[in-house]
Amino acid sequence: MLGTRRFGATAAVVLALAAVASAAASVGLVRGDAAVAVDDLAQLAAGLFATGCCWWTARRTSGPDRSWRVATGLGALSWSVGMALWTWFQLVERRAVPSPSAADAGYLGIVPFAFVALLVIGNFRRSGAPDALLDRRTASARLVLLLDGVIVVGSLFVLTWAIALGRLVEAGNPSAPAFLVAVAYPITDLVLLVIVVVLSADRTVVLRPQLRLLGLGLTGLAVSDLAFAYLVSVQAPEVPPLANAGFVVGPVLIGLAALAPVPSATPGRGRARRSWQWGYLLMPYLPLLITSALVLCGTMAGELGTVDAVEVACAFTVFVAVILRQLVTLVDNTKLVLLLRESERTLSHQAHHDPLTGLANRALFERRLDEAMAAHQRDGSPFGLLFVDLDDFKAVNDVSGHAHGDALLERVAQRLRRCVRDTDVVARLGGDEFGVLVEGVEEPEKVAFRVLDSLGGEISASVGVVICAEQDPEATAQSVLRRADKAMYEAKREGGHGLVIHP
């Protein structure tokens, strides 16, 4: 690894050399066999540069940072071996490279190693928890990720087949091994690029500069693979060196990925995170839309041939993947809506109920009292209000402990519930104070006596009762509360374990 300044200078020099080597034959600085030699040797040098950078930096790192460099170095070495064989065929034996050949095995050997490197980079995160949007721990999330890959790869493969690969296969009438090799290049290129895009959307990945450079390098290789296939499909007399620029710049970028300094674990900004997340959500649909539009336009213009079995099979696979993805997303969204509703109910219950006893809290009790008071003022609906306060509760906590006091409060709550109807309100107003709102009852004091009987001799309580049977224009909910509170304290002054009815 290099420091930031040294890396910048090194990248500028190496990329400039790669550009010069790619452009030398393209602009006519060298011609004929010399142009082929410069082009092939530049590609081989780029591959060896990537191999050397990966292994040199791997010796100075450890853990995941070392693992991805070793894997990438092995992939670059395999690609370099393929390039060396290609160069031998062209410059030494001076004959066309057969297909398939050992060179193809070398070129394609970079794929499994690059796949391993990307997985290592993807699992090297800033925290143990992945990005919320890209959380792949659930089975449905992993299935969606797989379907996204199928959609993107299938869409771009249809485009590649329609533009170049189909013509190449048709013109060459290849054998089964040659066909598999021809198809392997675009499919593996697309799979690796999809993985890069998915990982780039996850803001918790630490090695983001390395991921970007590695992705750009693989993109360069993929572009040149596609350009080579297209030129062969249209039976071009020769492959211009400019079409091989990706084979030079791509390995150079992979080497620079190994030289790039490891960034500090600073979380990404929120706006950048949101933009990447939107890009991830749209990822499977943009290639599908672009491919459909280009293939449709090409077919209408007569530039593309008739649809063959490969295109039909691939298009059908993409169609099924889109349907399955929508179904999985629909099911997940339905589960999410149900979960949100349940969470809202839970939060609403927690906001209006006492966590210890499960009774209504003061806020809910006062709201229901306001509603009862409004109904009473409107049509004369009677109601009664009870204040229940335990006697000497502080002594219970001091002598027996707070756990015993909490258990006593829970027993009181259970007995109060049994004394009223489901439509009545029982609330814990704070500490050892409870409130009971009884609506539509002419004699709420009977409920008060039932409360005292339910508590029995083991639990002493003072009860204040207010009866609102006749309309009083000046009465308010707060005035009724004060009257009940006053009646309860009168009961306490009389010795407790009794009730007082306030007029």
Side-chain angles (χ1 to χ4, degrees):
M1 294 175 292
L2 302 177
T4 303
R5 292 185 178 179
R6 290 182 60 193
F7 171 75
T10 302
V13 172
V14 173
L15 288 174
L17 292 176
V20 169
S22 298
S26 301
V27 299
L29 295 179
V30 290
R31 302 177 182 274
D33 292 341
V36 175
V38 169
D39 188 25
D40 288 348
L41 292 176
Q43 296 176 49
L44 179 59
L48 295 176
F49 170 78
T51 304
C53 289
C54 291
W55 287 357
W56 179 70
T57 55
R59 296 175 57 187
R60 291 163 171 78
T61 55
S62 60
D65 201 18
R66 175 189 177 93
S67 300
W68 82 265
R69 297 170 192 275
V70 172
T72 305
L74 291 173
L77 177 62
S78 177
W79 191 90
S80 300
V81 170
M83 191 64 234
L85 293 174
W86 179 281
T87 303
W88 177 269
F89 278 116
Q90 286 200 316
L91 300 184
V92 179
E93 297 189 3
R94 294 184 178 277
R95 64 186 180 93
V97 182
S99 181
S101 68
D104 292 310
Y107 288 140
L108 292 173
I110 193 176
V111 175
F113 294 111
F115 181 77
V116 171
L118 290 174
L119 291 184
V120 172
I121 291 176
N123 286 322
F124 189 16
R125 303 172 184 272
R126 292 190 179 92
S127 62
D131 190 291
L133 179 65
L134 306 173
D135 190 349
R136 306 178 186 90
R137 291 173 295 182
T138 64
S140 60
R142 291 193 292 269
L143 178 58
V144 168
L145 187 64
L146 175 62
L147 293 173
D148 285 347
V150 172
I151 294 170
V152 174
V153 173
S155 301
L156 296 180
F157 180 77
V158 169
L159 181 62
T160 303
W161 182 273
I163 293 176
L165 196 57
R167 296 177 183 177
L168 176 63
V169 172
E170 182 180 356
N173 191 22
S175 61
F179 174 78
L180 292 176
V181 169
V183 171
Y185 281 103
I187 290 181
T188 54
D189 288 339
L190 294 175
V191 168
L192 292 178
L193 294 183
V194 168
I195 296 175
V196 171
V197 172
V198 171
L199 293 179
S200 298
D202 190 341
R203 307 299 295 178
T204 62
V205 172
V206 174
L207 303 175
R208 298 190 61 77
Q210 288 76 8
L211 176 63
R212 294 191 190 102
L213 289 170
L214 183 58
L216 289 174
L218 295 174
T219 300
L221 296 177
V223 169
S224 285
D225 279 338
L226 180 60
F228 182 84
Y230 175 76
L231 292 171
V232 173
S233 69
V234 297
Q235 298 180 352
E238 60 180 11
V239 178
L242 186 60
N244 293 328
F247 295 143
V248 178
V249 177
V252 167
L253 290 170
I254 293 175
L256 291 177
L259 295 177
V262 177
S264 59
T266 303
R269 293 176 295 180
R271 181 175 299 180
R273 176 189 291 268
R274 288 191 295 270
S275 64
W276 276 105
Q277 288 178 345
W278 276 110
Y280 170 75
L281 290 174
L282 296 176
M283 179 190 68
Y285 300 107
L286 289 179
L288 178 62
L289 180 62
I290 294 172
T291 297
S292 300
L294 292 177
V295 171
L296 180 62
C297 292
T299 302
M300 295 177 62
E303 297 176 0
L304 301 178
T306 58
V307 178
D308 57 22
V310 174
E311 291 173 287
V312 171
C314 193
F316 179 75
T317 302
V318 172
F319 173 77
V320 172
V322 170
I323 298 299
L324 289 177
R325 189 191 193 280
Q326 293 304 109
L327 289 175
V328 173
T329 304
L330 180 62
V331 171
D332 284 345
N333 288 342
T334 302
K335 292 180 179 178
L336 180 59
V337 170
L338 295 176
L339 181 61
L340 289 175
R341 289 178 179 174
E342 182 63 28
S343 299
E344 289 176 355
R345 286 193 292 267
T346 301
L347 291 175
S348 177
H349 185 274
Q350 292 174 349
H352 296 97
H353 290 79
D354 175 58
L356 175 63
T357 63
L359 299 177
N361 60 14
R362 179 177 286 274
L364 178 57
F365 185 78
E366 291 181 350
R367 191 184 74 189
R368 291 292 300 272
L369 179 59
D370 288 336
E371 295 172 357
M373 195 69 202
H376 175 68
Q377 299 287 18
R378 183 177 59 253
D379 52 27
S381 300
F383 69 90
L385 180 62
L386 285 64
F387 259 31
V388 181
D389 190 272
L390 302 185
D391 298 326
D392 300 322
F393 181 73
K394 184 176 182 302
V396 174
N397 280 334
D398 292 342
V399 174
S400 302
H402 288 279
H404 183 77
D406 290 345
L408 177 61
L409 293 175
E410 292 178 4
R411 289 204 306 274
V412 171
Q414 294 172 2
R415 296 185 185 187
L416 290 178
R417 285 196 191 98
R418 292 197 294 264
C419 295
V420 298
R421 302 164 300 179
D422 292 339
T423 56
D424 298 326
V425 181
V426 180
R428 183 186 178 199
L429 303 180
D432 60 341
E433 192 175 77
F434 297 85
V436 180
L437 178 63
V438 183
E439 298 183 69
V441 177
E442 295 289 346
E443 299 178 337
E445 65 273 14
K446 292 183 178 180
V447 178
F449 286 113
R450 193 157 58 242
V451 167
L452 289 176
D453 290 340
S454 176
L455 295 177
E458 61 173 317
I459 302 176
S460 178
S462 299
V463 182
V465 183
V466 173
I467 302 172
C468 295
E470 297 181 359
Q471 288 179 312
D472 181 2
E474 298 182 358
T476 63
Q478 292 302 318
S479 68
V480 173
L481 281 171
R482 287 193 296 270
R483 288 161 57 191
D485 187 62
K486 182 179 179 181
M488 181 268 294
Y489 276 105
E490 288 180 5
K492 278 191 176 295
R493 284 194 295 270
E494 293 178 0
H497 197 62
L499 65 87
V500 170
I501 302 174
H502 198 285

